[in-house]
Amino acid sequence: IGFCEPKDAKYVAEAIMVTQRDFGDRTNRKHARVKYTTEDYGPTWYREQVEKVLGKKLGEPKPYKFESRGDLYGWHQTDDGLWHCGCLVPIGRVKDHWRQGLGKIAEELKGGGGFRMTCNQQVLIADVPTSKKAAIQSLLDQYKIAHSNETTHSGMRRNMVACVALPTCPLAFAEAERYLPTLVGKLEGVLENCGLKERDIVIRMTGCPNSCGRPSMAEIGFIGKAPGTYNMYLGGDFVGQRLNTLFAESVTEDQIIERLTPLFKKYSTDREKNEAFGDFLVRTKVVKPMVAGRYWWTIPEV
């Protein structure tokens, strides 16, 4: 809806949330998000409200393009000379050797550096001075904390997200956090046979329709219906600008693998250059594109 300078970003974000607080639909959970408020009132109106709260005008929108929404793994250096290392912590659960290793790294970082949690349930070891980089790398290797393409196993594993579900959440109908790594492990075998193991594919799972695992934004999404049973959604785009579409209802693990295997095989041979899996499914009409969020809860003809 507009452009702001980096120094104003947090104030613009606050103004967006205040506008949603005052005008969003608080009576219907399925219609309670910023995107629906924007759709109901129009982007021009929403911008005017944000500017009113902000106390000044936004600049005119500038061209932009999202190419990825995943995390950066491995070491990266920023302009301030500090180093940052993205690490894979499956589904964000710090346990076993991850807990021991990150604990040792925390001790090493005393006096400089720290941890940041990402929105994809991973960990970023941040603000590491050059003098400590080698010691941190040694600990990463010692405790086998995945932080590179070679150690994160697959593109799908690098892009999996799940809600906590059972046994923690009383709303869950099915497993998510405890089960998705197992399912991904079985799908990795299929992907390797198709030559797609390193291909980034976004897969997400949630234990109930409240969708805390954000499955609607995945190229492959699952919503729990009962223990071991899920609705399966396909066709979201890789960068998160198109929702997916209901593909199959009440499927079990065997049925999931049975349905995805021929799609992976076809994707491996028929995809266009740099075409993501979700875009391929839409282009080849495996599913229809989800053109608006208000249609997501309907049952489409796929």
Side-chain angles (χ1 to χ4, degrees), residues 73 87-98 102 120-123 144-146 151-153 157-162 176-178 180-182 184:
Y73 294 100
C87 301
L88 176 69
V89 180
I91 317 294
R93 182 63 69 183
V94 180
K95 58 183 179 181
D96 302 330
H97 62 278
W98 283 278
L102 292 176
N120 293 307
Q121 300 181 321
Q122 310 305 339
V123 170
K144 296 180 172 55
I145 297 176
T151 56
T152 50
H153 301 294
R157 192 169 293 268
R158 289 193 292 271
N159 290 277
M160 66 178 181
V161 171
E177 175 204 332
R178 297 192 300 185
L180 183 57
T182 300
V184 167

PDB file of all heavy atoms in Angstrom, residues 73 87-98 102 120-123 144-146 151-153 157-162 176-178 180-182 184:
ATOM      1  N   TYR A  73      20.662 -20.771   5.736  1.00  0.00           N
ATOM      2  CA  TYR A  73      21.449 -21.675   6.556  1.00  0.00           C
ATOM      3  C   TYR A  73      22.931 -21.419   6.321  1.00  0.00           C
ATOM      4  O   TYR A  73      23.345 -20.870   5.302  1.00  0.00           O
ATOM      5  CB  TYR A  73      21.095 -23.131   6.242  1.00  0.00           C
ATOM      6  CG  TYR A  73      19.679 -23.481   6.631  1.00  0.00           C
ATOM      7  CD1 TYR A  73      18.661 -23.513   5.681  1.00  0.00           C
ATOM      8  CD2 TYR A  73      19.354 -23.761   7.954  1.00  0.00           C
ATOM      9  CE1 TYR A  73      17.355 -23.823   6.043  1.00  0.00           C
ATOM     10  CE2 TYR A  73      18.055 -24.072   8.324  1.00  0.00           C
ATOM     11  CZ  TYR A  73      17.068 -24.099   7.365  1.00  0.00           C
ATOM     12  OH  TYR A  73      15.782 -24.394   7.720  1.00  0.00           O
ATOM     13  N   CYS A  87      20.625 -22.312  11.575  1.00  0.00           N
ATOM     14  CA  CYS A  87      20.668 -23.723  11.950  1.00  0.00           C
ATOM     15  C   CYS A  87      19.283 -24.352  11.843  1.00  0.00           C
ATOM     16  O   CYS A  87      18.275 -23.710  12.138  1.00  0.00           O
ATOM     17  CB  CYS A  87      21.161 -23.885  13.396  1.00  0.00           C
ATOM     18  SG  CYS A  87      22.801 -23.192  13.692  1.00  0.00           S
ATOM     19  N   LEU A  88      19.258 -25.612  11.434  1.00  0.00           N
ATOM     20  CA  LEU A  88      18.011 -26.362  11.360  1.00  0.00           C
ATOM     21  C   LEU A  88      17.732 -27.016  12.705  1.00  0.00           C
ATOM     22  O   LEU A  88      18.511 -27.845  13.180  1.00  0.00           O
ATOM     23  CB  LEU A  88      18.090 -27.433  10.275  1.00  0.00           C
ATOM     24  CG  LEU A  88      16.871 -28.350  10.161  1.00  0.00           C
ATOM     25  CD1 LEU A  88      15.667 -27.591   9.638  1.00  0.00           C
ATOM     26  CD2 LEU A  88      17.175 -29.542   9.249  1.00  0.00           C
ATOM     27  N   VAL A  89      16.629 -26.631  13.331  1.00  0.00           N
ATOM     28  CA  VAL A  89      16.150 -27.275  14.553  1.00  0.00           C
ATOM     29  C   VAL A  89      14.760 -27.810  14.218  1.00  0.00           C
ATOM     30  O   VAL A  89      13.797 -27.038  14.187  1.00  0.00           O
ATOM     31  CB  VAL A  89      16.083 -26.290  15.736  1.00  0.00           C
ATOM     32  CG1 VAL A  89      15.582 -26.988  16.984  1.00  0.00           C
ATOM     33  CG2 VAL A  89      17.454 -25.677  15.994  1.00  0.00           C
ATOM     34  N   PRO A  90      14.623 -29.092  13.903  1.00  0.00           N
ATOM     35  CA  PRO A  90      13.353 -29.613  13.372  1.00  0.00           C
ATOM     36  C   PRO A  90      12.134 -29.224  14.194  1.00  0.00           C
ATOM     37  O   PRO A  90      12.053 -29.491  15.387  1.00  0.00           O
ATOM     38  CB  PRO A  90      13.576 -31.132  13.380  1.00  0.00           C
ATOM     39  CG  PRO A  90      15.059 -31.283  13.238  1.00  0.00           C
ATOM     40  CD  PRO A  90      15.643 -30.145  14.015  1.00  0.00           C
ATOM     41  N   ILE A  91      11.195 -28.517  13.524  1.00  0.00           N
ATOM     42  CA  ILE A  91       9.935 -28.057  14.117  1.00  0.00           C
ATOM     43  C   ILE A  91      10.196 -27.179  15.342  1.00  0.00           C
ATOM     44  O   ILE A  91       9.331 -27.003  16.198  1.00  0.00           O
ATOM     45  CB  ILE A  91       9.001 -29.241  14.474  1.00  0.00           C
ATOM     46  CG1 ILE A  91       8.991 -30.264  13.341  1.00  0.00           C
ATOM     47  CG2 ILE A  91       7.574 -28.754  14.699  1.00  0.00           C
ATOM     48  CD1 ILE A  91       8.403 -29.807  12.045  1.00  0.00           C
ATOM     49  N   GLY A  92      11.401 -26.637  15.471  1.00  0.00           N
ATOM     50  CA  GLY A  92      11.696 -25.727  16.567  1.00  0.00           C
ATOM     51  C   GLY A  92      11.839 -26.388  17.923  1.00  0.00           C
ATOM     52  O   GLY A  92      11.882 -25.691  18.949  1.00  0.00           O
ATOM     53  N   ARG A  93      11.934 -27.699  17.971  1.00  0.00           N
ATOM     54  CA  ARG A  93      12.011 -28.410  19.244  1.00  0.00           C
ATOM     55  C   ARG A  93      13.481 -28.631  19.618  1.00  0.00           C
ATOM     56  O   ARG A  93      14.169 -29.446  19.012  1.00  0.00           O
ATOM     57  CB  ARG A  93      11.279 -29.747  19.155  1.00  0.00           C
ATOM     58  CG  ARG A  93      11.271 -30.543  20.447  1.00  0.00           C
ATOM     59  CD  ARG A  93      10.548 -29.835  21.565  1.00  0.00           C
ATOM     60  NE  ARG A  93       9.119 -29.767  21.327  1.00  0.00           N
ATOM     61  CZ  ARG A  93       8.273 -29.153  22.139  1.00  0.00           C
ATOM     62  NH1 ARG A  93       8.728 -28.538  23.216  1.00  0.00           N
ATOM     63  NH2 ARG A  93       6.977 -29.124  21.873  1.00  0.00           N
ATOM     64  N   VAL A  94      13.963 -27.887  20.604  1.00  0.00           N
ATOM     65  CA  VAL A  94      15.353 -27.982  21.046  1.00  0.00           C
ATOM     66  C   VAL A  94      15.465 -29.126  22.048  1.00  0.00           C
ATOM     67  O   VAL A  94      15.007 -29.012  23.194  1.00  0.00           O
ATOM     68  CB  VAL A  94      15.823 -26.660  21.685  1.00  0.00           C
ATOM     69  CG1 VAL A  94      17.271 -26.775  22.151  1.00  0.00           C
ATOM     70  CG2 VAL A  94      15.673 -25.516  20.693  1.00  0.00           C
ATOM     71  N   LYS A  95      16.072 -30.220  21.621  1.00  0.00           N
ATOM     72  CA  LYS A  95      16.193 -31.390  22.498  1.00  0.00           C
ATOM     73  C   LYS A  95      17.426 -32.185  22.100  1.00  0.00           C
ATOM     74  O   LYS A  95      18.090 -31.894  21.088  1.00  0.00           O
ATOM     75  CB  LYS A  95      14.943 -32.268  22.415  1.00  0.00           C
ATOM     76  CG  LYS A  95      14.627 -32.782  21.020  1.00  0.00           C
ATOM     77  CD  LYS A  95      13.333 -33.589  21.009  1.00  0.00           C
ATOM     78  CE  LYS A  95      13.008 -34.094  19.608  1.00  0.00           C
ATOM     79  NZ  LYS A  95      11.746 -34.869  19.575  1.00  0.00           N
ATOM     80  N   ASP A  96      17.739 -33.187  22.896  1.00  0.00           N
ATOM     81  CA  ASP A  96      18.842 -34.116  22.621  1.00  0.00           C
ATOM     82  C   ASP A  96      20.139 -33.345  22.337  1.00  0.00           C
ATOM     83  O   ASP A  96      20.488 -32.447  23.076  1.00  0.00           O
ATOM     84  CB  ASP A  96      18.467 -35.047  21.458  1.00  0.00           C
ATOM     85  CG  ASP A  96      17.196 -35.844  21.740  1.00  0.00           C
ATOM     86  OD1 ASP A  96      16.946 -36.130  22.922  1.00  0.00           O
ATOM     87  OD2 ASP A  96      16.461 -36.168  20.792  1.00  0.00           O
ATOM     88  N   HIS A  97      20.830 -33.679  21.250  1.00  0.00           N
ATOM     89  CA  HIS A  97      22.127 -33.047  20.987  1.00  0.00           C
ATOM     90  C   HIS A  97      21.997 -31.576  20.613  1.00  0.00           C
ATOM     91  O   HIS A  97      22.930 -30.802  20.798  1.00  0.00           O
ATOM     92  CB  HIS A  97      22.887 -33.816  19.900  1.00  0.00           C
ATOM     93  CG  HIS A  97      22.190 -33.851  18.566  1.00  0.00           C
ATOM     94  ND1 HIS A  97      21.195 -34.749  18.273  1.00  0.00           N
ATOM     95  CD2 HIS A  97      22.360 -33.092  17.465  1.00  0.00           C
ATOM     96  CE1 HIS A  97      20.776 -34.564  17.037  1.00  0.00           C
ATOM     97  NE2 HIS A  97      21.465 -33.559  16.520  1.00  0.00           N
ATOM     98  N   TRP A  98      20.826 -31.170  20.097  1.00  0.00           N
ATOM     99  CA  TRP A  98      20.619 -29.744  19.828  1.00  0.00           C
ATOM    100  C   TRP A  98      20.683 -28.942  21.137  1.00  0.00           C
ATOM    101  O   TRP A  98      21.310 -27.890  21.199  1.00  0.00           O
ATOM    102  CB  TRP A  98      19.262 -29.509  19.158  1.00  0.00           C
ATOM    103  CG  TRP A  98      19.211 -29.847  17.717  1.00  0.00           C
ATOM    104  CD1 TRP A  98      19.627 -29.081  16.676  1.00  0.00           C
ATOM    105  CD2 TRP A  98      18.713 -31.058  17.140  1.00  0.00           C
ATOM    106  NE1 TRP A  98      19.423 -29.722  15.486  1.00  0.00           N
ATOM    107  CE2 TRP A  98      18.852 -30.945  15.731  1.00  0.00           C
ATOM    108  CE3 TRP A  98      18.152 -32.212  17.670  1.00  0.00           C
ATOM    109  CZ2 TRP A  98      18.456 -31.942  14.858  1.00  0.00           C
ATOM    110  CZ3 TRP A  98      17.759 -33.206  16.803  1.00  0.00           C
ATOM    111  CH2 TRP A  98      17.917 -33.079  15.417  1.00  0.00           C
ATOM    112  N   LEU A 102      23.597 -26.252  21.622  1.00  0.00           N
ATOM    113  CA  LEU A 102      23.234 -24.836  21.716  1.00  0.00           C
ATOM    114  C   LEU A 102      23.565 -24.288  23.099  1.00  0.00           C
ATOM    115  O   LEU A 102      23.895 -23.107  23.247  1.00  0.00           O
ATOM    116  CB  LEU A 102      21.752 -24.656  21.393  1.00  0.00           C
ATOM    117  CG  LEU A 102      21.356 -24.931  19.929  1.00  0.00           C
ATOM    118  CD1 LEU A 102      19.849 -24.814  19.752  1.00  0.00           C
ATOM    119  CD2 LEU A 102      22.072 -23.976  18.974  1.00  0.00           C
ATOM    120  N   ASN A 120      10.138 -19.539  10.805  1.00  0.00           N
ATOM    121  CA  ASN A 120      10.062 -20.893  10.246  1.00  0.00           C
ATOM    122  C   ASN A 120      10.549 -21.940  11.242  1.00  0.00           C
ATOM    123  O   ASN A 120      10.951 -23.032  10.853  1.00  0.00           O
ATOM    124  CB  ASN A 120      10.880 -20.974   8.954  1.00  0.00           C
ATOM    125  CG  ASN A 120      10.281 -20.133   7.854  1.00  0.00           C
ATOM    126  OD1 ASN A 120       9.102 -20.253   7.534  1.00  0.00           O
ATOM    127  ND2 ASN A 120      11.078 -19.252   7.286  1.00  0.00           N
ATOM    128  N   GLN A 121      10.541 -21.576  12.526  1.00  0.00           N
ATOM    129  CA  GLN A 121      10.842 -22.496  13.623  1.00  0.00           C
ATOM    130  C   GLN A 121      12.308 -22.926  13.656  1.00  0.00           C
ATOM    131  O   GLN A 121      12.640 -23.990  14.162  1.00  0.00           O
ATOM    132  CB  GLN A 121       9.925 -23.732  13.561  1.00  0.00           C
ATOM    133  CG  GLN A 121       8.444 -23.391  13.665  1.00  0.00           C
ATOM    134  CD  GLN A 121       7.546 -24.612  13.625  1.00  0.00           C
ATOM    135  OE1 GLN A 121       7.785 -25.549  12.877  1.00  0.00           O
ATOM    136  NE2 GLN A 121       6.499 -24.602  14.433  1.00  0.00           N
ATOM    137  N   GLN A 122      13.203 -22.109  13.130  1.00  0.00           N
ATOM    138  CA  GLN A 122      14.623 -22.417  13.168  1.00  0.00           C
ATOM    139  C   GLN A 122      15.356 -21.440  14.093  1.00  0.00           C
ATOM    140  O   GLN A 122      14.752 -20.535  14.671  1.00  0.00           O
ATOM    141  CB  GLN A 122      15.220 -22.380  11.764  1.00  0.00           C
ATOM    142  CG  GLN A 122      14.454 -23.192  10.731  1.00  0.00           C
ATOM    143  CD  GLN A 122      14.268 -24.645  11.119  1.00  0.00           C
ATOM    144  OE1 GLN A 122      14.980 -25.201  11.945  1.00  0.00           O
ATOM    145  NE2 GLN A 122      13.250 -25.287  10.534  1.00  0.00           N
ATOM    146  N   VAL A 123      16.662 -21.616  14.223  1.00  0.00           N
ATOM    147  CA  VAL A 123      17.481 -20.793  15.114  1.00  0.00           C
ATOM    148  C   VAL A 123      18.589 -20.123  14.319  1.00  0.00           C
ATOM    149  O   VAL A 123      19.240 -20.758  13.475  1.00  0.00           O
ATOM    150  CB  VAL A 123      18.097 -21.654  16.241  1.00  0.00           C
ATOM    151  CG1 VAL A 123      19.138 -20.860  17.024  1.00  0.00           C
ATOM    152  CG2 VAL A 123      17.015 -22.151  17.185  1.00  0.00           C
ATOM    153  N   LYS A 144      26.734 -32.013  15.938  1.00  0.00           N
ATOM    154  CA  LYS A 144      25.974 -32.377  14.730  1.00  0.00           C
ATOM    155  C   LYS A 144      24.694 -31.552  14.584  1.00  0.00           C
ATOM    156  O   LYS A 144      23.600 -32.077  14.344  1.00  0.00           O
ATOM    157  CB  LYS A 144      25.645 -33.884  14.733  1.00  0.00           C
ATOM    158  CG  LYS A 144      26.873 -34.775  14.666  1.00  0.00           C
ATOM    159  CD  LYS A 144      26.491 -36.255  14.667  1.00  0.00           C
ATOM    160  CE  LYS A 144      27.690 -37.154  14.412  1.00  0.00           C
ATOM    161  NZ  LYS A 144      28.807 -36.945  15.348  1.00  0.00           N
ATOM    162  N   ILE A 145      24.850 -30.245  14.752  1.00  0.00           N
ATOM    163  CA  ILE A 145      23.731 -29.321  14.556  1.00  0.00           C
ATOM    164  C   ILE A 145      23.708 -28.921  13.084  1.00  0.00           C
ATOM    165  O   ILE A 145      24.635 -28.286  12.577  1.00  0.00           O
ATOM    166  CB  ILE A 145      23.869 -28.080  15.459  1.00  0.00           C
ATOM    167  CG1 ILE A 145      23.807 -28.514  16.933  1.00  0.00           C
ATOM    168  CG2 ILE A 145      22.763 -27.067  15.157  1.00  0.00           C
ATOM    169  CD1 ILE A 145      24.024 -27.384  17.918  1.00  0.00           C
ATOM    170  N   ALA A 146      22.653 -29.314  12.385  1.00  0.00           N
ATOM    171  CA  ALA A 146      22.557 -29.081  10.941  1.00  0.00           C
ATOM    172  C   ALA A 146      22.540 -27.586  10.634  1.00  0.00           C
ATOM    173  O   ALA A 146      21.761 -26.831  11.218  1.00  0.00           O
ATOM    174  CB  ALA A 146      21.306 -29.749  10.393  1.00  0.00           C
ATOM    175  N   THR A 151      24.051 -30.884   5.583  1.00  0.00           N
ATOM    176  CA  THR A 151      23.657 -31.445   6.880  1.00  0.00           C
ATOM    177  C   THR A 151      22.172 -31.309   7.182  1.00  0.00           C
ATOM    178  O   THR A 151      21.682 -31.906   8.145  1.00  0.00           O
ATOM    179  CB  THR A 151      24.465 -30.788   8.012  1.00  0.00           C
ATOM    180  OG1 THR A 151      24.285 -29.362   7.969  1.00  0.00           O
ATOM    181  CG2 THR A 151      25.944 -31.099   7.878  1.00  0.00           C
ATOM    182  N   THR A 152      21.433 -30.515   6.381  1.00  0.00           N
ATOM    183  CA  THR A 152      19.997 -30.360   6.629  1.00  0.00           C
ATOM    184  C   THR A 152      19.168 -31.419   5.901  1.00  0.00           C
ATOM    185  O   THR A 152      17.947 -31.386   5.937  1.00  0.00           O
ATOM    186  CB  THR A 152      19.511 -28.962   6.208  1.00  0.00           C
ATOM    187  OG1 THR A 152      19.959 -28.673   4.866  1.00  0.00           O
ATOM    188  CG2 THR A 152      20.037 -27.891   7.151  1.00  0.00           C
ATOM    189  N   HIS A 153      19.824 -32.348   5.211  1.00  0.00           N
ATOM    190  CA  HIS A 153      19.212 -33.555   4.633  1.00  0.00           C
ATOM    191  C   HIS A 153      18.438 -33.313   3.346  1.00  0.00           C
ATOM    192  O   HIS A 153      18.631 -34.026   2.374  1.00  0.00           O
ATOM    193  CB  HIS A 153      18.310 -34.258   5.651  1.00  0.00           C
ATOM    194  CG  HIS A 153      19.025 -34.680   6.886  1.00  0.00           C
ATOM    195  ND1 HIS A 153      20.013 -35.644   6.874  1.00  0.00           N
ATOM    196  CD2 HIS A 153      18.904 -34.268   8.168  1.00  0.00           C
ATOM    197  CE1 HIS A 153      20.480 -35.821   8.102  1.00  0.00           C
ATOM    198  NE2 HIS A 153      19.829 -35.008   8.906  1.00  0.00           N
ATOM    199  N   ARG A 157      12.862 -30.869   4.168  1.00  0.00           N
ATOM    200  CA  ARG A 157      13.114 -30.780   5.608  1.00  0.00           C
ATOM    201  C   ARG A 157      13.474 -29.351   6.012  1.00  0.00           C
ATOM    202  O   ARG A 157      13.139 -28.900   7.101  1.00  0.00           O
ATOM    203  CB  ARG A 157      14.224 -31.756   6.007  1.00  0.00           C
ATOM    204  CG  ARG A 157      14.366 -31.939   7.510  1.00  0.00           C
ATOM    205  CD  ARG A 157      15.280 -33.118   7.818  1.00  0.00           C
ATOM    206  NE  ARG A 157      14.679 -34.370   7.402  1.00  0.00           N
ATOM    207  CZ  ARG A 157      13.923 -35.141   8.185  1.00  0.00           C
ATOM    208  NH1 ARG A 157      13.684 -34.784   9.442  1.00  0.00           N
ATOM    209  NH2 ARG A 157      13.414 -36.272   7.744  1.00  0.00           N
ATOM    210  N   ARG A 158      14.166 -28.640   5.136  1.00  0.00           N
ATOM    211  CA  ARG A 158      14.526 -27.249   5.433  1.00  0.00           C
ATOM    212  C   ARG A 158      13.306 -26.341   5.457  1.00  0.00           C
ATOM    213  O   ARG A 158      13.369 -25.227   5.976  1.00  0.00           O
ATOM    214  CB  ARG A 158      15.535 -26.729   4.401  1.00  0.00           C
ATOM    215  CG  ARG A 158      16.917 -27.318   4.511  1.00  0.00           C
ATOM    216  CD  ARG A 158      17.923 -26.546   3.675  1.00  0.00           C
ATOM    217  NE  ARG A 158      17.693 -26.676   2.254  1.00  0.00           N
ATOM    218  CZ  ARG A 158      18.217 -27.632   1.487  1.00  0.00           C
ATOM    219  NH1 ARG A 158      18.995 -28.559   2.039  1.00  0.00           N
ATOM    220  NH2 ARG A 158      17.986 -27.678   0.191  1.00  0.00           N
ATOM    221  N   ASN A 159      12.207 -26.791   4.867  1.00  0.00           N
ATOM    222  CA  ASN A 159      11.031 -25.929   4.721  1.00  0.00           C
ATOM    223  C   ASN A 159       9.787 -26.497   5.393  1.00  0.00           C
ATOM    224  O   ASN A 159       8.672 -26.165   5.023  1.00  0.00           O
ATOM    225  CB  ASN A 159      10.747 -25.697   3.230  1.00  0.00           C
ATOM    226  CG  ASN A 159      11.793 -24.831   2.564  1.00  0.00           C
ATOM    227  OD1 ASN A 159      11.737 -23.611   2.632  1.00  0.00           O
ATOM    228  ND2 ASN A 159      12.760 -25.459   1.915  1.00  0.00           N
ATOM    229  N   MET A 160       9.955 -27.368   6.392  1.00  0.00           N
ATOM    230  CA  MET A 160       8.782 -27.932   7.072  1.00  0.00           C
ATOM    231  C   MET A 160       8.449 -27.113   8.320  1.00  0.00           C
ATOM    232  O   MET A 160       9.325 -26.642   9.031  1.00  0.00           O
ATOM    233  CB  MET A 160       9.008 -29.402   7.427  1.00  0.00           C
ATOM    234  CG  MET A 160      10.081 -29.673   8.451  1.00  0.00           C
ATOM    235  SD  MET A 160      10.215 -31.451   8.828  1.00  0.00           S
ATOM    236  CE  MET A 160      11.522 -31.423  10.057  1.00  0.00           C
ATOM    237  N   VAL A 161       7.151 -26.950   8.565  1.00  0.00           N
ATOM    238  CA  VAL A 161       6.631 -26.213   9.721  1.00  0.00           C
ATOM    239  C   VAL A 161       5.430 -26.982  10.253  1.00  0.00           C
ATOM    240  O   VAL A 161       4.623 -27.504   9.471  1.00  0.00           O
ATOM    241  CB  VAL A 161       6.215 -24.776   9.345  1.00  0.00           C
ATOM    242  CG1 VAL A 161       5.480 -24.103  10.501  1.00  0.00           C
ATOM    243  CG2 VAL A 161       7.431 -23.945   8.953  1.00  0.00           C
ATOM    244  N   ALA A 162       5.299 -27.054  11.579  1.00  0.00           N
ATOM    245  CA  ALA A 162       4.134 -27.714  12.172  1.00  0.00           C
ATOM    246  C   ALA A 162       3.767 -27.023  13.478  1.00  0.00           C
ATOM    247  O   ALA A 162       4.618 -26.439  14.145  1.00  0.00           O
ATOM    248  CB  ALA A 162       4.410 -29.195  12.425  1.00  0.00           C
ATOM    249  N   ALA A 176       0.991 -33.411  14.701  1.00  0.00           N
ATOM    250  CA  ALA A 176       1.625 -32.501  13.753  1.00  0.00           C
ATOM    251  C   ALA A 176       3.122 -32.436  14.038  1.00  0.00           C
ATOM    252  O   ALA A 176       3.922 -33.019  13.325  1.00  0.00           O
ATOM    253  CB  ALA A 176       0.983 -31.116  13.810  1.00  0.00           C
ATOM    254  N   GLU A 177       3.504 -31.753  15.118  1.00  0.00           N
ATOM    255  CA  GLU A 177       4.929 -31.595  15.434  1.00  0.00           C
ATOM    256  C   GLU A 177       5.648 -32.937  15.575  1.00  0.00           C
ATOM    257  O   GLU A 177       6.746 -33.125  15.053  1.00  0.00           O
ATOM    258  CB  GLU A 177       5.087 -30.797  16.733  1.00  0.00           C
ATOM    259  CG  GLU A 177       6.523 -30.686  17.218  1.00  0.00           C
ATOM    260  CD  GLU A 177       6.627 -30.432  18.701  1.00  0.00           C
ATOM    261  OE1 GLU A 177       5.700 -29.826  19.274  1.00  0.00           O
ATOM    262  OE2 GLU A 177       7.634 -30.828  19.303  1.00  0.00           O
ATOM    263  N   ARG A 178       5.037 -33.869  16.278  1.00  0.00           N
ATOM    264  CA  ARG A 178       5.706 -35.150  16.522  1.00  0.00           C
ATOM    265  C   ARG A 178       5.712 -36.055  15.291  1.00  0.00           C
ATOM    266  O   ARG A 178       6.529 -36.979  15.194  1.00  0.00           O
ATOM    267  CB  ARG A 178       5.044 -35.883  17.695  1.00  0.00           C
ATOM    268  CG  ARG A 178       5.148 -35.151  19.013  1.00  0.00           C
ATOM    269  CD  ARG A 178       4.743 -36.022  20.192  1.00  0.00           C
ATOM    270  NE  ARG A 178       3.359 -36.491  20.100  1.00  0.00           N
ATOM    271  CZ  ARG A 178       2.749 -37.191  21.062  1.00  0.00           C
ATOM    272  NH1 ARG A 178       3.406 -37.479  22.182  1.00  0.00           N
ATOM    273  NH2 ARG A 178       1.491 -37.579  20.923  1.00  0.00           N
ATOM    274  N   LEU A 180       5.243 -34.875  11.647  1.00  0.00           N
ATOM    275  CA  LEU A 180       5.681 -34.354  10.349  1.00  0.00           C
ATOM    276  C   LEU A 180       7.111 -34.773   9.998  1.00  0.00           C
ATOM    277  O   LEU A 180       7.364 -35.147   8.849  1.00  0.00           O
ATOM    278  CB  LEU A 180       5.528 -32.837  10.297  1.00  0.00           C
ATOM    279  CG  LEU A 180       5.887 -32.202   8.946  1.00  0.00           C
ATOM    280  CD1 LEU A 180       5.052 -32.789   7.816  1.00  0.00           C
ATOM    281  CD2 LEU A 180       5.702 -30.677   8.987  1.00  0.00           C
ATOM    282  N   PRO A 181       8.083 -34.721  10.924  1.00  0.00           N
ATOM    283  CA  PRO A 181       9.425 -35.188  10.539  1.00  0.00           C
ATOM    284  C   PRO A 181       9.448 -36.633  10.056  1.00  0.00           C
ATOM    285  O   PRO A 181      10.234 -36.979   9.166  1.00  0.00           O
ATOM    286  CB  PRO A 181      10.234 -35.012  11.835  1.00  0.00           C
ATOM    287  CG  PRO A 181       9.533 -33.924  12.579  1.00  0.00           C
ATOM    288  CD  PRO A 181       8.075 -34.161  12.292  1.00  0.00           C
ATOM    289  N   THR A 182       8.593 -37.477  10.620  1.00  0.00           N
ATOM    290  CA  THR A 182       8.513 -38.873  10.178  1.00  0.00           C
ATOM    291  C   THR A 182       7.974 -38.960   8.757  1.00  0.00           C
ATOM    292  O   THR A 182       8.510 -39.689   7.905  1.00  0.00           O
ATOM    293  CB  THR A 182       7.613 -39.681  11.132  1.00  0.00           C
ATOM    294  OG1 THR A 182       8.161 -39.639  12.455  1.00  0.00           O
ATOM    295  CG2 THR A 182       7.503 -41.132  10.676  1.00  0.00           C
ATOM    296  N   VAL A 184       8.005 -36.561   6.502  1.00  0.00           N
ATOM    297  CA  VAL A 184       9.010 -35.974   5.606  1.00  0.00           C
ATOM    298  C   VAL A 184      10.123 -36.980   5.336  1.00  0.00           C
ATOM    299  O   VAL A 184      10.610 -37.108   4.204  1.00  0.00           O
ATOM    300  CB  VAL A 184       9.572 -34.671   6.197  1.00  0.00           C
ATOM    301  CG1 VAL A 184      10.829 -34.219   5.438  1.00  0.00           C
ATOM    302  CG2 VAL A 184       8.514 -33.573   6.145  1.00  0.00           C
TER     303      VAL A 184
END
